[in-house]
Amino acid sequence: MTKAKKGASYLYLGLVFLFLYAPILVLIFLSFNNSMSRTVWGGFTLKWYLSLTSNDNIMSALGTTIRITLASSILATILGTSAAIGIHYMKKRHAALMLGATNIPLLNADIVTGISLMLLFTRFTPLGEFSVVLAHIAFSVPYVIFNVLPRLQSLSEACIEAALDLGATPTYAFCKVVWPELFPGVLSGFLMALTMSLDDFTITYFTKGAGVNTLSTMLYTQLRKGIQPELYALSTILFLLAFVLLLLMNFKRDIKKEAK
Amino acid sequence: MEFIQFDHVSKSYEKQLILDELDLSVKENSFVTLLGPSGCGKTTTLRLLGGFEKPDSGKIYLNGNDITALPANLRPINTVFQKYALFPHMTIEENIAFGLNIQKKSKDYIDDKIKYALKLVNLDGFEKRSIDSLSGGQQQRIAIARAIVNEPKVLLLDEPLGALDLKLRQNMQYELMKIKQELGITFIYVTHDQEEALTMSDTIVVMNQGYIQQIGTPEDIYNEPENAFVADFIGESNIIEGIMIKDELVSFLGVQVPCVDKGFGTMKPVDVVIRPEDVELDAPGKGFMDGTITDCLFKGVHYELDVQCGEYEWLVHTTKYFEVGQNVSLNVIPFNIQIMNKPESEDEEVMKEDV
Amino acid sequence: MFNKFRTSFLAAPYAVWVLICTILPLLYILGYAITNDAGTLTFANLLAITDPVHLKSLWLSVEIALSTTVICLIIAYPVALILHNLKISNKGFVVFLFILPMWMNFMLRILAWQIILSNNGILNNMLSAIGLPTIHILYTKAAVTLGMIYDFLPYMILPIYNALSKINDQVIEAAADLGANWWTTFIKITVPLSKDGIISGIIMVFVPALSSFVVSNLLGGGKVLLIGNVIEQEFTLARNWNLGSGLSIILMIFVLLSMSIMNRIDDSENGGMLV
C-alpha cells in the first residue's frame, strides 16, 4: 500500500469513528455541565455524579435494568447453550425446523416482536419485570444459539471419541473436551445477549406495563419534560466502565502474547 | 545476465531476517526446485519473484529487465498456489478464462485455450463444473490449467502437491514433467520434499535460514553435498567429525582411512559424510572398524541396520539380513567417502546449528 | 459420541419455549389483526393500509429505510475493507470499537444527535464559526435518515468484515497473479465473495430501519410519521389493538417480501445466523 493510500484510509476510519463517537462525546461533555440547559455551557461540575446515588428514580431504574439484563442474559445463555447442543444432535430436518424458528425473532421487526409478546403476556400474566425478562430472553436466545452452534460444528467428533477411548466417561469427556471448545462461543453469546438486552428499548417498552422502568424507557418518558442531568453522568460511568474493561482485556492479551 | 537474476535480495518480516543478500540466477527453460525445511526462505523467494512481496533491498531481473517494482498483475509470471486458490464463485471455465478475459482475448481464442488446457491436465469436458465438485487433485490440475493458459514466461509452483496423497503425488510429478516438456517454459518449484526435488528438477537450490547452501543437479546434490546441512537434509547420512591428516588420508573415530579428496591441507578438522548404502559389512576384523548390530529393520528393498562402533552408531543399508548382536566390520571404498570443510564463517555456523 | 437421540432432548425446553414465546405470539397478533373489537372476523384492519395516511407512512418508511441501507453500505464497505487490510496484531480490538457505542444508552445517543443538529446546536455553531451558512435539518427526513444510519452502521460493518475475513488471501493474490489490477480484483473477486456479508448487512439494516419509531420520534419531532409510529400510536394513544395488529402484519409481510428478494439474490443456502 502506498503512503498516500494508507493515509487516506486512516483518515476515512477516523472520520467514521468521529461519526460514531461524536454523540458520546457530547453526552460525556453534558455530564460535566453546570447548567440544566442542553446547549449552554455553564462551567465544569461534578455535582451530577455526586447527586446520582441520591436520585431514587434513576437508582431504581438502574436496579431494574441490571436485574432484567442479568437475569435474561444468564437464562438465555443456559437455555440457548443446551438448545444448541440438542439441535446439533438432532436429525437434519428437525434441526432445520428449529433453526428456522430461531431466526424469527432475529428477522422480525422489534416492534412486531414487542407487540406480539405483549398481546400474549396480557392474557396470562400481569405486565411487569417478569414479562420483560421473558421478552428479553425471547430475543436474545437466538444470539446464544448462533454463537454456540458453529463451535459445536467445528468440534471434531474424533476428539470426543478419543476421550471416550482413553477411558473418559461421557460426563468427563464433556467437561474436559467439549466444554473448553464451546466456552468461547457461550461467552460471546452471553455478551451479545447482555449488550442487546441493555440496549433494548422497543421490546421493553411494549412489555413492561405501568410502573416498571428501565433506563431506556425512563429516558423516553423524560424526553419531553427534560432529561435529568444525572442520567448523563450514569451513562458516562457505564460507558467508561465498558471501555476500560475492553482496554484491560486487550492489555491482558498483549501481555499473554509478550510472554509467549 | 541469466534469464532470472536475484541480485543481493534481502527481506525481513517483523524484524526477522528471512532472506539475506540472496543471489540466484536461473537459466531459461530450466526446472529449478527450491528445496529446504520450512522457514528457510524458499517460499519468500518465490513470492518475491511472483510480485506478492517487495524486497527490502536488492534487485530482481527477468530477461534483463528490472522487475523489482513491477506489481504482480503486470509480470509475465503465473503461480500455482499451495492451496490452489481457485475462485470459489466461478465455474472451472470461468476460472481458467479469468486471466485471458483481462487480456481481452477473443471468445474463440479463450474457448480454444480452455479446451487445450483441460486436455493438457487430463480434465477434458469439465468446463461447466463447479469448484466444489472437484477432488483435491483435480483442483490442483485446474490451478495449473488456469496459470498456463496465460502463456507465462515463468511458472511458479508453491508446494503444489503438498496436500495430495502419496500415490496421487507421484502421478502428478510425472504429469508436471510432461507439461513442462510440452510448454517449454521455466518452472520454479518450491518444496520441502527431497524426493520430489530429486525426481523432477534439473537444478536444485538447497536453502536454509535465508541462505543458499548449494546449487546443483540432483546428482551433484545427492552425491557431493557441499556441507553437513545438505548432506543431512538430502537423504540419510553418517556425518562424523574427523581430521584430514594429509591429501587422500582422513582420520575419524580413531582409525585412519584412505579417501580421494585433496587440497584440505594437513591436520585440518573436517566433517566426513558416508551414505548408509555405501557402507559394506564383512566378518569382524576384515574392515577398517568393528562393531555390533544393535537394530535391524526390514524396509522393503533393503534392511536398515544400526551398528554400534564404540561411541558412534552407524546407519547402514544392506540387502542381506543380519542378526541383532552379531559382530561385523565396516568397509567403505575411498571414492564413497565425502570430505567437507568445517564451518568457519558466521553464515556457515548458522547452517551447522540446524543440523 | 453420546447417544444422539437422547442428547437431542437437551433442546426440548427450547422447543417448548419456541412454541410459547415465538409461535404463539405471532398467532395472537394474527388473531387480533383479523378480528374487530367484538371478536368477529374482518379484513378491515389489514386493508386499513390502503388509507392514504397509512400508505404515505409506509412509503416514507420504505424510502427512508432504502436510503439508510444504501448509505450504510457505501460507508461500511470501505470501513470493513480497510479494517480487513489493517496490518496490526489486535484487529479484534478495533472491531470492538464499533460495538462499544452500544454501551452508551441508545436513547441518549439519539438525543445527543438532537443536540448536535438543532438550530443553535453544535453543528451549526461550527458551520458559522468557519463562515458557512447554517443548516436546519432537525425534524426533517434528513435528520431521521442520519439518525438511522448512525444507529445501524455497525450492523452493516460487522457482517461485511466477517465475510471479508473468510476470503482466502491466496485467492486475491491469484487474481493479481493472473493480471487483474486492484479494481478488477475488487469487482470480480472481493465483492462476489463477500456477497453473503453484504446481504446480511442489508437485511440487518433494512428491517429495523423499516420498522423503527423511536428515531423518527426524536429526530423527526412528530413531523416524520413512519409506519412504526403509526403502529405505536395505535397501541399507546388510540388503543386500537386490532388496527395496530393489522398494520403490524402488513409490516411483517413487507419484511418477509424484502427478505425473499434478498434471498433470491443470495442463492447459497446456509442455515446459520445472518450475522
Side-chain angles (χ1 to χ4, degrees), chain A residues 12 20-21 23 38 82 89 102 107 109 115 141 146 157 160 199 201 205 216 220 223 235 243 250 253, chain C residues 1 10 14 75 90 97 100 102 105-109 113-114 150 207 211 217-218 232 235 273-274:
Chain A
Y12 184 75
L20 286 175
Y21 281 85
R38 302 200 305 216
S82 87
Y89 286 104
T102 306
L107 299 179
I115 288 169
V141 167
F146 284 121
E157 202 70 8
I160 302 163
D199 198 51
F201 164 75
Y205 177 68
S216 291
Y220 192 65
L223 281 173
S235 300
F243 186 65
N250 191 52
R253 222 188 41 187
Chain C
M1 81 172 208
L10 275 173
Y14 179 65
I75 298 177
N90 43 8
L97 286 179
L100 194 65
M102 284 174 82
N105 192 286
F106 152 71
M107 203 71 69
L108 280 177
R109 277 179 289 143
W113 275 110
Q114 216 180 40
Y150 172 79
V207 173
S211 59
N217 246 350
L218 281 159
E232 187 233 356
F235 278 93
M273 179 164 66
L274 292 148

Side-chain angles (χ1 to χ4, degrees), chain B residues 47 73 78-79 81 89 150, chain C residues 170 173 176-178 180-181 188:
Chain B
R47 290 175 63 80
N73 55 327
N78 286 118
T79 308
F81 290 86
H89 57 300
N150 304 292
Chain C
Q170 274 200 354
E173 283 182 355
D177 183 68
L178 296 167
N181 57 25
K188 292 214 163 163

Side-chain angles (χ1 to χ4, degrees), chain C residues 132-146:
Chain C
L132 288 171
T134 58
I135 49 171
H136 304 282
I137 69 163
L138 188 62
Y139 304 141
T140 65
K141 223 161 63 181
V144 174
T145 311
L146 181 113

Side-chain angles (χ1 to χ4, degrees), chain B residues 244 246-249 259-264 334 337-339:
Chain B
M244 200 69 184
K246 56 178 190 186
D247 281 355
E248 300 184 6
L249 187 64
C259 60
V260 295
D261 297 76
K262 288 183 230 178
F264 284 88
I337 295 175
Q338 173 80 16
I339 307 292

Side-chain angles (χ1 to χ4, degrees), chain B residues 47 52 72-73 77-79 81-83 85-90 98-99 102 146 150, chain C residues 168 170-182 184-185 188-190 192-193:
Chain B
R47 290 175 63 80
F52 308 116
N73 55 327
I77 295 175
N78 286 118
T79 308
F81 290 86
Q82 191 173 8
K83 295 203 180 94
L86 297 173
F87 306 127
H89 57 300
M90 297 181 185
F98 188 85
I102 286 166
R146 184 180 68 176
N150 304 292
Chain C
N168 179 355
Q170 274 200 354
V171 169
I172 304 295
E173 283 182 355
D177 183 68
L178 296 167
N181 57 25
W182 184 85
T184 314
T185 309
K188 292 214 163 163
I189 309 293
T190 314
L193 287 180

Side-chain angles (χ1 to χ4, degrees), chain A residues 132-186:
Chain A
V132 178
V133 170
L134 286 183
H136 279 215
I137 295 174
F139 75 76
S140 49
V141 167
Y143 292 99
V144 179
I145 293 180
F146 284 121
N147 271 294
V148 177
L149 213 49
R151 287 263 156 195
L152 278 164
Q153 280 155 356
S154 69
L155 180 75
S156 115
E157 202 70 8
C159 274
I160 302 163
E161 280 166 3
L164 296 178
D165 178 66
L166 293 168
T169 61
T171 320
Y172 188 84
F174 180 84
C175 295
K176 294 280 171 179
V177 179
V178 181
W179 181 249
E181 277 299 306
L182 236 51
F183 182 71
V186 174

